[in-house]
């Protein structure tokens, strides 16, 4: 099978803790932190806030990693990449998965087979507290506004896990934003317990999200 065949079996080699994230409002945004290309004024547009809220608190952000050899210009390399990113709300087992609707999504327009999520032109998504969204995304807007010919000064964020992730913080709101790899249109999944409460919020990256089932590991 080809690597981008959605029927290709994906084996998760490792699940690691990336960091912790503060979501004091319980209102979670899962979207790209970058402004859109067609927004010349780089307005503070609201990100895609999930319709369902999570309990206010501090949560673990974890990454599921795949590892497999690949070939490039005739040479073989050991590949390692993020297959999925998870915000773990509780340690309770996941009994089922649902696609997460945003507050502006109209359930009446969602048809069987539709993929509901967010789109990223920069191959980056994030988890963030909705009430602090303008300040948490400010480092990305300022970086975007720098003149094309001027040297980039870097973003006012903290780099995590070998440059795969970043964290921005708002100490006034005591809230955080954590970025992760996200290619194209990414489906946001809600992992639910047997009682229906949310145990995890998961985003599958790249071609793996086209299988319409999130990668799992033995802890679930």
């Amino acid at each position: 099978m080809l690597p981008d065949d959605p029927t290709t079996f994906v084996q998760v080699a490792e699940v690691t803790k990336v960091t912790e994230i503060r979501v004091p409002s319980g209102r979670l945004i899962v979207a790209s932190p970058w402004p859109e290309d067609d927004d010349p004024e780089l307005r503070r547009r609201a990100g895609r806030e999930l319709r369902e809220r999570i309990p206010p608190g501090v949560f673990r952000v974890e990454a599921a990693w795949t590892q497999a050899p690949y070939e490039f210009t005739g040479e073989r390399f050991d590949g390692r990449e993020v297959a999925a990113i998870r915000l773990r709300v509780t340690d309770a087992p996941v009994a089922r998965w649902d696609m997460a609707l945003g507050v502006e999504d109209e359930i009446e327009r969602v048809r069987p087979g539709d993929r509901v999520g967010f789109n990223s032109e920069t191959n980056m998504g994030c988890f963030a507290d909705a009430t602090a969204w303008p300040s948490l995304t400010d480092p990305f807007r300022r970086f975007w506004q720098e003149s094309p010919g001027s040297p980039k000064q870097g973003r006012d964020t903290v780099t995590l896990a070998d440059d795969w992730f970043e964290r921005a913080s708002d100490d006034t709101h005591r809230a955080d934003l954590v970025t992760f790899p996200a290619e194209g249109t990414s489906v946001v999944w809600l992992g639910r317990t047997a009682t229906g409460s949310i145990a995890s919020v998961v985003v599958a990256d790249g071609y793996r999200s086209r299988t319409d089932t999130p990668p799992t590991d033995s802890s679930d």
Side-chain angles (χ1 to χ4, degrees):
M1 296 182 184
L2 296 174
D4 59 353
D5 188 325
T7 63
T8 300
F9 177 72
V10 177
Q11 178 67 50
V12 173
E14 183 181 19
V15 177
T16 61
K17 177 181 176 181
V18 176
T19 188
E20 292 185 340
I21 184 172
R22 298 172 295 178
V23 189
S25 68
R27 295 170 52 198
L28 183 67
I29 286 180
V30 188
S32 170
W34 292 98
E36 298 180 10
D37 285 336
D38 61 352
D39 187 358
E41 298 180 5
L42 298 180
R43 295 183 295 274
R44 297 183 178 187
R45 293 184 175 181
R48 184 175 185 268
E49 180 182 343
L50 301 190
R51 178 173 297 185
E52 293 193 57
R53 297 190 178 187
I54 62 176
V58 180
F59 308 101
R60 293 200 307 275
V61 176
E62 300 170 331
W65 298 85
T66 59
Q67 192 161 337
Y70 68 96
E71 186 175 316
F72 180 70
T73 63
E75 295 186 60
R76 291 182 66 83
F77 301 89
D78 290 329
R80 177 177 168 85
E81 58 186 15
V82 177
I85 188 74
R86 170 170 62 190
L87 187 149
R88 185 184 283 271
V89 179
T90 73
D91 293 329
V94 172
R96 75 173 195 270
W97 295 94
D98 298 328
M99 283 190 286
L101 293 177
V103 294
E104 296 184 355
D105 291 332
E106 298 180 20
I107 185 62
E108 297 81 7
R109 296 192 176 186
V110 179
R111 299 168 297 179
D114 283 353
R115 299 179 68 248
V116 182
F118 68 93
N119 185 66
S120 173
E121 297 178 351
T122 57
N123 295 334
M124 181 183 288
C126 72
F127 295 128
D129 183 90
T131 57
W133 179 254
S135 61
L136 291 173
T137 54
D138 184 63
F140 300 91
R141 287 194 306 277
R142 286 190 285 106
F143 186 83
W144 198 275
Q145 285 176 306
E146 291 181 13
S147 300
S150 65
K152 295 291 186 181
Q153 300 300 316
R155 294 186 288 278
D156 187 17
T157 60
V158 176
T159 300
L160 306 167
D162 298 327
D163 296 332
W164 284 87
F165 308 92
E166 296 177 52
R167 183 178 64 230
S169 298
D170 181 331
D171 290 333
T172 300
H173 289 89
R174 297 183 179 180
D176 301 309
L177 176 152
V178 175
T179 71
F180 51 80
E183 181 180 352
T185 299
S186 299
V187 174
V188 183
W189 296 93
L190 299 179
R192 297 186 185 276
T193 67
T195 62
S197 62
I198 299 175
S200 300
V201 181
V202 171
V203 178
D205 180 43
Y207 70 86
R208 294 176 186 82
S209 65
R210 294 206 296 270
T211 64
D212 284 341
T213 53
T216 60
D217 67 88
S218 58
S219 65
D220 284 341

